[in-house]
Amino acid sequence: MSDRPVWIMGVLNVTPDSFSDGGRYVAKDRAVEHGVEMWGQGADIVDVGGESTRPGAAPVGPEEETRRVLPVVEALVAQGVRVSVDTSKGSVAEACLKAGAWMVNDVTAGSDPALLAATADHGAHLCLMHMQGDPRTMQVDPAYGDVVREVKEFLVERAEMATDAGVARDQIWIDPGIGFGKNVRHNLLLVEHLEELVATGFPVLVGASRKSFLGKLGGGESAADRLAATIAVHTLAQYKGARALRVHDVEAAKRASALVTATQSADNP
Ligand code: HH2
């Protein structure tokens, strides 16, 4: 992981209802093509998800989720793409890890013990993300005393739980979960104080790509028109020490993050 300063994780939603690209990659061939395209654009990892977690999204059963993601994971792995599977279910994780996935990206931070066990068995990487509540209700009225402290404590606790379950400590990533049970201010505070998460020693992943708070802060742009805002927030996150950025627009993210890296290394070329 330390061979490159910041990883770009390309989003591949094999779902009919994701908030910004729902329905575009439901067909397996189209999904694989887009995954390979992002890999070709320089993505360091492609994150394959079969269940939307947008606010209000309906849950998907494990069989349907596996049916959506597994053939795509298999095809991408066969083409040499480094894959993560965006799931909170142990059985989905197990199937994808068996097929060669490199990481499990869990927006529920290890709530299913079977997911932790599968990740540990396969010696895979694990991303633990913070969410308050669940996707159906999380944006109704999110509330915190101190959002940065609470998110940090939760993630450190879950990381301990994962290591207790056998996941290697140096393969755990943490993620503040931008937009998951957070209002605009909560999201901004988490980015502004990201160094507090970085200080835990776990690599931090940030996913602000196209999220609705960017539209609320701007001029009400639609999801596809939030690239400039996405890059602004991700640039700040990288500057504050994020080690991975989860994005829909890989090419632009690579270019922007390379510039930030060059600036950060200006004193030590
Ligand atoms: N955001 C989404 C999904 N998975 N995983 C991590 N680690 N961090 C995130 O911020 C994150 C995530 C939501 O975005 P998207 O996949 O584009 O939409 P949907 O959940 O509607 O499929």
Side-chain angles (χ1 to χ4, degrees):
M1 210 165 51
S2 54
D3 57 333
R4 39 193 127 189
V6 167
W7 280 40
I8 299 300
M9 171 186 269
V11 178
L12 182 56
N13 288 317
V14 193
T15 53
D17 57 346
S18 287
F19 79 94
S20 90
D21 54 1
R24 281 190 72 178
Y25 308 113
V26 183
K28 180 198 154 190
D29 291 352
R30 187 69 199 94
V32 173
E33 191 187 312
H34 185 53
V36 169
E37 180 189 26
M38 290 193 287
W39 186 247
Q41 290 171 341
D44 300 284
I45 187 160
V46 171
D47 189 38
V48 183
E51 177 179 34
S52 173
T53 47
R54 74 181 157 74
V60 173
E63 293 80 19
E64 172 61 12
E65 194 180 327
T66 304
R67 191 194 63 74
R68 290 179 186 178
V69 295
L70 185 58
V72 176
V73 169
E74 285 170 343
L76 290 175
V77 169
Q79 297 203 47
V81 176
R82 187 185 294 112
V83 169
S84 78
V85 57
D86 187 344
T87 188
S88 54
K89 300 182 188 76
S91 62
V92 179
E94 170 63 28
C96 293
L97 289 167
K98 225 185 239 166
W102 185 85
M103 171 187 267
V104 178
N105 171 28
D106 182 4
V107 299
T108 70
S111 58
D112 180 356
L115 180 145
L116 296 178
T119 308
D121 283 353
H122 288 272
H125 285 246
L126 175 66
C127 181
L128 299 168
M129 197 200 78
H130 175 274
M131 165 163 46
Q132 185 179 82
D134 67 62
R136 267 169 301 181
T137 56
M138 65 189 179
Q139 290 307 107
V140 175
D141 185 21
Y144 299 84
D146 177 338
V147 64
V148 177
R149 187 174 52 77
E150 287 169 43
V151 167
K152 174 178 165 172
E153 285 176 2
F154 170 87
L155 290 170
V156 168
E157 205 175 283
R158 290 303 179 100
E160 292 304 331
M161 193 171 99
T163 52
D164 288 349
V167 180
R169 192 172 192 85
D170 62 358
Q171 301 198 162
I172 295 175
W173 305 46
I174 58 171
D175 180 336
I178 300 295
F180 285 85
K182 281 131 196 145
N183 63 25
V184 172
R185 184 154 183 274
H186 297 145
N187 291 322
L188 296 180
L189 284 168
L190 285 163
V191 176
E192 172 63 6
H193 297 283
L194 198 74
E195 62 271 15
E196 294 194 30
L197 293 188
V198 172
T200 63
F202 294 105
V204 175
L205 187 150
V206 171
S209 189
R210 301 186 184 176
K211 287 192 175 163
S212 68
F213 81 107
L214 301 174
K216 286 180 190 149
L217 278 170
E221 294 86 358
S222 67
D225 288 328
R226 295 175 190 152
L227 178 58
T230 297
I231 287 182
V233 170
H234 282 173
T235 295
L236 255 174
Q238 180 175 346
Y239 188 71
K240 287 177 180 286
R243 297 288 305 282
L245 305 170
R246 184 178 181 277
V247 304
H248 297 85
D249 305 284
V250 168
E251 209 161 30
K254 281 298 273 193
R255 291 219 304 271
S257 93
L259 251 157
V260 180
T261 303
T263 310
Q264 288 176 306
S265 7
D267 281 332
N268 308 296

